[in-house]
Amino acid sequence: MLVVMRQGATPDEIAGVVRAIEARGFKAHPIPGAQRTAIGITGNRGAVDRPVFESMPGVLEVIPVTHAYKLVSREVKPEDSVVKVGGVAVGGGEFVIVAGPCAVESLDQMLTVARLVKAAGARLLRGGAFKPRTSPYSFQGLGEEGLRILASAREETGLPVVTEAIDAESVDLVERYADAIQIGARNMQNFSLLKRAGRAKKPVLLKRGLAATLEEFLMSAEYVLAEGNYDVILCERGVRTFSDFSRNTLDLAVVPAVKQISHLPILVDPSHGTGRRDKVVPMSRGAAAVGADGLIVEVHHDPDTALSDGPQSITPEAFGTLVSELRQITQVLGRTL
Ligand code: PEP
Ligand code: MN
């Protein structure tokens, strides 16, 4: 259910509705909009007593939310959400590029890549310290040491940092060191992890599961918002299909589909989405063209020696060329880069 306040409703009137919602044991989610504030109600098992709220001062109307996902839906918030990651606005007029290696390997490696991607136009830095690997014998990441390295790279370049948390323990650490918490594809439906991220004080970058439908994807985001963290950025990173020429099939059509239903920003990951270096650049151009809010792309200064995902990592030179192409594509669409 959604309580829509009148334009110009006072803070006291809004607080009164929030109190009335909470007094019934429900959770209130005030969502300020350009025109008016709406207050989402979650946590109710049965019907909400509409007339009670309709007659409260400052209330314009009470409307049922028809979709199973509520807080992520445009029904609840018609305007696009803008999520700030360490001062960088994702989902506004800018096409935001997150770049960096798959994994943090050493201070030297991270600083080298960070400086190069920054010079080429990246706005946020990526790099995994906790790596969810298919094989237990593959490089698992440097853990907290990796987070310290990321913090040094941020200090050196000024680029805010996005990095993955794979369990409750690593969320505590990532929340402390990073500017945004990435929840990976394999954990998209790890509901206890989503709830924990929903209580975090940092934005969440939520990647689509390997075989997740749009509804499942948005429901996972709903878990984070329902806990009170409204700063969620979605990320399309490819899904499993029968295609045998790429690691995954990058589902670019999900971008306009998400935009229709949800106010949350969405990035595209052409690296995991294809798994092949030669496909990263063309699919990145496509991502910009279909209206994504940005990219998260793997860049390594020496991809052939990378400890993780070398075959899909592009060089800093290729990244530089890509950014200049994207400047032209995004300009056509009225975005800055
Ligand atoms: C990653 O970003 O390095 C990663 C592991 O991504 P995904 O969860 O999409 O596989
Ligand atoms: Mn990777």
Side-chain angles (χ1 to χ4, degrees):
M1 201 67 76
L2 187 68
V3 180
V4 181
M5 303 301 291
R6 287 180 197 288
Q7 205 170 351
T10 66
D12 273 358
E13 288 170 339
I14 294 168
V17 173
V18 168
R19 272 196 306 276
I21 293 168
E22 290 171 350
R24 282 160 182 78
F26 309 149
K27 200 165 157 81
H29 303 267
I31 302 150
Q35 302 299 326
R36 79 283 184 283
T37 290
I39 306 168
I41 303 177
T42 61
N44 54 302
R45 301 217 187 282
V48 173
D49 190 1
R50 271 171 84 167
V52 169
F53 293 103
E54 275 163 350
S55 59
M56 290 190 72
V59 173
L60 175 67
E61 57 179 340
V62 178
I63 49 176
V65 177
T66 51
H67 286 121
Y69 26 80
K70 302 174 193 303
L71 301 172
V72 304
S73 151
R74 281 210 192 266
E75 283 187 284
V76 164
K77 182 170 184 272
E79 306 93 14
D80 288 344
S81 282
V82 177
V83 176
K84 286 264 180 80
V85 179
V88 174
V90 180
E94 190 186 347
F95 186 80
V96 174
I97 303 181
V98 190
C102 177
V104 181
E105 298 168 7
S106 67
L107 178 62
D108 208 36
Q109 170 245 17
M110 203 60 224
L111 288 178
T112 304
V113 180
R115 288 186 192 117
L116 291 166
V117 297
K118 156 106 193 211
R123 298 279 279 137
L124 299 169
L125 188 62
R126 66 150 290 147
F130 298 94
K131 295 305 304 172
R133 301 306 297 278
T134 302
S135 165
Y137 309 118
S138 298
F139 177 60
Q140 303 284 308
L142 297 179
E144 188 169 4
E145 173 58 15
L147 297 177
R148 278 194 285 267
I149 290 173
L150 283 167
S152 307
R154 172 181 52 213
E155 203 162 306
E156 161 95 21
T157 59
L159 294 178
V161 160
V162 180
T163 193
E164 181 165 357
I166 52 173
D167 49 26
E169 209 183 328
S170 52
V171 182
D172 291 345
L173 288 167
V174 167
E175 190 179 15
R176 207 173 322 137
Y177 286 94
D179 300 284
I181 305 162
Q182 178 174 323
I183 303 289
R186 289 155 194 82
N187 273 315
M188 190 205 81
Q189 286 189 313
N190 181 339
F191 300 120
S192 64
L193 186 59
L194 294 173
K195 286 184 189 173
R196 171 62 186 86
R199 294 189 296 273
K201 299 283 177 282
K202 295 278 170 71
V204 173
L205 175 72
L206 177 65
K207 300 189 84 173
R208 183 182 181 185
L210 280 75
T213 64
L214 173 57
E215 176 153 333
E216 288 163 345
F217 189 20
L218 292 175
M219 278 300 186
S220 290
E222 185 80 23
Y223 263 91
V224 181
L225 273 77
E227 291 293 322
N229 187 350
Y230 305 111
D231 290 332
V232 174
I233 302 166
L234 302 171
C235 178
E236 161 59 28
R237 49 79 70 208
V239 290
R240 277 281 165 87
T241 69
F242 54 80
S243 168
D244 58 359
F245 55 86
S246 61
R247 178 179 177 185
N248 291 294
T249 295
L250 190 63
D251 183 13
L252 288 181
V254 86
V255 173
V258 161
K259 291 278 172 201
Q260 207 163 50
I261 300 171
S262 177
H263 52 85
L264 296 176
I266 179 163
L267 302 183
V268 167
D269 174 349
S271 310
H272 297 86
T274 64
R276 301 276 295 270
R277 193 175 305 148
D278 59 334
K279 299 190 173 60
V280 169
V281 167
M283 295 312 283
S284 298
R285 298 184 193 121
V290 297
D293 295 293
L295 289 181
I296 176 164
V297 57
E298 289 183 342
V299 180
H300 198 288
H301 64 294
D302 186 9
D304 293 338
T305 65
L307 296 181
S308 172
D309 284 346
Q312 68 191 34
S313 300
I314 59 172
T315 61
E317 295 72 40
F319 177 70
T321 308
L322 172 62
V323 174
S324 37
E325 290 175 356
L326 291 171
R327 285 213 165 95
Q328 299 178 56
I329 296 172
T330 52
Q331 196 185 7
V332 174
L333 300 168
R335 277 185 187 267
T336 57
L337 196 168

